[in-house]
Amino acid sequence: MATTAPVHPVDEVPPVRQLAAFGLQHVLAMYAGAVAVPLIVGGAMKLSPADLAYLITADLLVCGIATLIQCVGFWRFGVRLPIMQGCTFAAVSPMVLIGTTGGGLPAIYGSVIVAGLTIVLLAPVFGKLLRFFPPLVTGTVILIIGVSLLPVAGNWAAGGQGSPEFGEPKNLALAGFVLAVVLGIQRFAPAFLSRIAVLIGIAVGLAVAVPFGFTDFGGVGDSDWVGISTPFHFGAPSFHASAIISMLVVALVTMTETTGDFIAVGEMTDRPIQPRSLADGLRADGLSTVLGGVFNTFPYTAFAQNVGLVGMTRVRSRWVVAAAGGILVLLGLLPKLGAVVAAIPAPVLGGAGLVMFGTVAASGLRTLSEVDFKGNDNLTVVAVSVAVGMLPVGVPTVYAKFPDWFQTVVNSGISAGCLTAIVLNLLFNHLSGKAGSAAKAGTPGTAKAAESPQGVSAGAEPVGLSGGRGEDTVEETGEQRV
C-alpha cells in the first residue's frame, strides 16, 4: 500500500481563516517600512500629495506581486520560503540624488530596470557563493540583522521619526502595553492565538490608541476606492551612466542582504538554503526590481522585518506569506484599505517590533551556539563583524565624508557586517597556517568533512545551517523543479 510522503511545514497550506489572520499579521509588521521608501524619495523630490499617494499604492501593488513570486515561485524564479518583499532602504540615498540632480523619476526608473536585469543575470554566480556562509558567518549575519533592526522598533515606539511628539512618555507607554499584550498572549493563550500574538497585540493597541487620540482616520475618507498603477506613469525611463552605476552598487548590496535573510529564514524553517534555491530567490528579486522600474516604484529585496515574525510565531508555511502578498495587492488596488492600515500609530508597531526583531537576533545566537569557539579565532570573527555592522547603526553619520558609492555599501550595517564576516572567516580559517581551524567555523559535523580525500575544508563547501552538508544537486523540498 502506497504511503503519502509527509509535507514539509514550509509547504503546508493552513485553513483559509488562519491564512488570512497570519497573512494580515505579516502585512502589519512590514507596512510602515514598505511605504517609508516612496515617502522619503517622493518627499525629497517635493512631489505633490497626489503623486506621493500614487507612489505608495504602486509600491504596495508591486510588493504583493514580488512576494507572490518569491513564495509561490515559477520555473527558476522564487526561493519558495516564507519571504516578504519590500523596497530596499539601501537605494534611498542614491535615488534621492538621482531624482533631485540627475533626471528625476524617469532616470531613477531607468537605473532600477538595469539593476534588476543585472541581478537576474548575476543570480547563478551569487548562488555559488553559499560555500562562504558556514554557521560562523550565517549566525553572525542573522545576529546583525536582528540588532540593526532594533533601532527601527525603538523609533516606532517613541512615536515615529520626525513626529513632533517623539519620545513622549505616552508613546512609550502605549508601545510597552502592546509588548505586554503580545507576551501575555504568547505565554497564556492557546496555541492558535499565540501564533497571531502580534496581530492581536496590534489590534488591542489600536483599540486603546483611538480614544486617547493617537491616530486619525480622516485620511481614509479622502482616499479613492480604486487605484490602478499603469506602466511608466511618470514618463518613459531614461538611462544615465552615473545613475546606473550607483544603482548597480545598490544591487550588490541588496543581494548580500537578501542572502542573509534567506539563510535566516532557512534556519528558522528547517529548510537550509542551497545554492540553487539561493539563485532562484535572487533571480526573483531581480525580476521584482524590473517590475518596480516599470510600475513606478523602486528596487525590491527580502524584508528583514518579517524574518523575526516567522521565528516568533513558528508558522513556517510559505502560503501564509503568499496570502500576505495577496493582501498587499488588494491594498495597492484599493487605496482606501491602505489608508486604514496606514492609520495605525507608530508606537503600536513599535511594541510588536521589539519582540519580533529581538527574535531575529536570538536566532543568530542560536546558530552561533553550534560553532566551536575553543582554541581558534572564531570569537574575533564574530566580535569584529558585529562591531563593523553596528557602527553605521549607532553612528549614522560616521561615513558622511566618504564617497557616495562607499556610503551605499557600508551605510547598511547588514551588508557591512556580512562582508566583514566573510573576509575574516577566510582570513582566520582558510588561509595557509589556519586551515586546521576551518572545520571549527561550522558545526561539529563539519570536522569530518574537513578531512575528506578532496582536501577541501568544511567552510569551503555549501553548509546547511542545521549542521548538514548541502549539495548543489539536492533539492531540500522533495519536489522536482524544472
Side-chain angles (χ1 to χ4, degrees):
M1 184 175 179
T3 58
T4 304
V7 178
H8 194 283
V10 168
D11 299 316
E12 287 181 350
V13 182
V16 174
R17 65 184 181 88
Q18 293 185 17
L19 273 176
F22 293 151
L24 179 59
Q25 187 170 236
H26 273 282
V27 170
L28 296 179
M30 62 86 69
Y31 187 90
V35 301
V37 173
L39 282 174
I40 295 170
V41 176
M45 296 180 63
K46 296 180 171 54
L47 297 182
S48 67
D51 286 342
L52 273 177
Y54 193 94
L55 283 181
I56 291 172
T57 54
D59 175 32
L60 293 174
L61 175 64
V62 181
C63 271
I65 295 172
T67 299
L68 288 169
I69 293 173
Q70 199 66 271
C71 295
V72 179
F74 67 93
W75 190 51
R76 297 298 302 276
F77 291 85
V79 71
R80 295 167 175 84
L81 284 174
I83 295 287
M84 288 290 291
Q85 296 286 103
C87 285
T88 173
F89 283 87
V92 168
S93 295
M95 288 192 301
V96 168
L97 187 63
I98 295 168
T100 54
T101 64
L105 286 173
I108 291 177
Y109 295 140
S111 63
V112 167
I113 291 172
V114 173
L117 292 173
T118 302
I119 292 173
V120 172
L121 294 175
L122 290 181
V125 178
F126 220 87
K128 298 182 185 299
L129 301 181
L130 193 62
R131 67 184 64 186
F132 300 112
F133 288 84
L136 173 64
V137 174
T138 57
T140 303
V141 172
I142 297 169
L143 174 61
I144 292 171
I145 291 173
V147 177
S148 65
L149 285 173
L150 288 175
V152 176
N155 281 322
W156 287 346
Q161 197 72 41
S163 169
E165 296 185 335
F166 186 85
E168 288 284 344
K170 65 177 184 178
N171 292 334
L172 295 172
L174 178 58
F177 171 74
V178 172
L179 175 60
V181 171
V182 171
L183 295 177
I185 292 171
Q186 271 208 297
R187 174 63 180 84
F188 300 107
F192 169 71
L193 291 180
S194 68
R195 291 177 177 175
I196 56 171
V198 170
L199 177 61
I200 295 174
I202 291 175
V204 173
L206 181 60
V208 171
V210 171
F212 284 95
F214 278 91
T215 189
D216 179 15
F217 289 97
V220 177
D222 298 332
S223 302
D224 296 328
W225 278 104
V226 178
I228 299 177
S229 179
T230 55
F232 307 125
H233 173 79
F234 295 99
S238 59
F239 302 92
H240 301 264
S242 59
I244 290 172
I245 291 171
S246 63
M247 204 56 66
L248 289 178
V249 175
V250 170
L252 294 175
V253 172
T254 56
M255 291 176 79
T256 304
E257 290 184 352
T258 296
T259 298
D261 292 333
F262 285 170
I263 290 171
V265 174
E267 160 76 7
M268 293 174 179
T269 58
D270 295 325
R271 179 174 279 180
I273 287 291
Q274 307 293 335
R276 176 169 173 167
S277 57
L278 173 58
D280 292 349
L282 293 173
R283 199 177 284 113
D285 259 15
L287 175 60
S288 301
T289 297
V290 172
L291 291 177
V294 173
F295 286 95
N296 319 293
T297 180
F298 307 113
Y300 284 86
T301 186
F303 235 44
Q305 282 90 326
N306 294 80
V307 173
L309 190 57
V310 173
M312 194 192 93
T313 63
R314 298 183 292 279
V315 176
R316 296 180 281 177
S317 172
R318 60 190 171 105
W319 298 104
V320 164
V321 180
I327 294 172
L328 286 172
V329 170
L330 285 177
L331 293 177
L333 296 174
L334 303 173
K336 199 172 286 291
L337 287 180
V340 172
V341 177
I344 297 174
V348 172
L349 297 174
L354 286 172
V355 64
M356 288 191 299
F357 303 159
T359 300
V360 179
S363 297
L365 293 176
R366 182 177 62 186
T367 301
L368 287 173
S369 69
E370 303 170 359
V371 177
D372 184 4
F373 287 99
K374 296 179 180 178
N376 55 49
D377 298 298
N378 288 340
L379 194 63
T380 300
V381 174
V382 176
V384 176
S385 301
V386 171
V388 172
M390 289 302 98
L391 194 57
V393 176
V395 189
T397 58
V398 65
Y399 299 118
K401 302 295 185 181
F402 285 76
D404 290 336
W405 67 267
F406 185 83
Q407 292 185 50
T408 300
V409 175
V410 299
N411 269 345
S412 166
I414 297 173
S415 59
C418 180
L419 292 173
T420 303
I422 293 172
V423 171
L424 292 182
N425 177 54
L426 292 174
L427 175 65
F428 284 107
N429 292 324
H430 294 278
L431 292 183
S432 178
K434 285 285 187 179
S437 62
K440 297 178 182 180
T443 59
T446 62
K448 184 176 179 180
E451 300 169 359
S452 62
Q454 289 83 359
V456 181
S457 67
E461 291 288 326
V463 181
L465 290 181
S466 61
R469 293 285 303 276
E471 300 293 341
D472 288 13
T473 57
V474 177
E475 285 294 332
E476 70 276 16
T477 62
E479 63 184 9
Q480 181 68 35
R481 292 190 192 165
V482 180

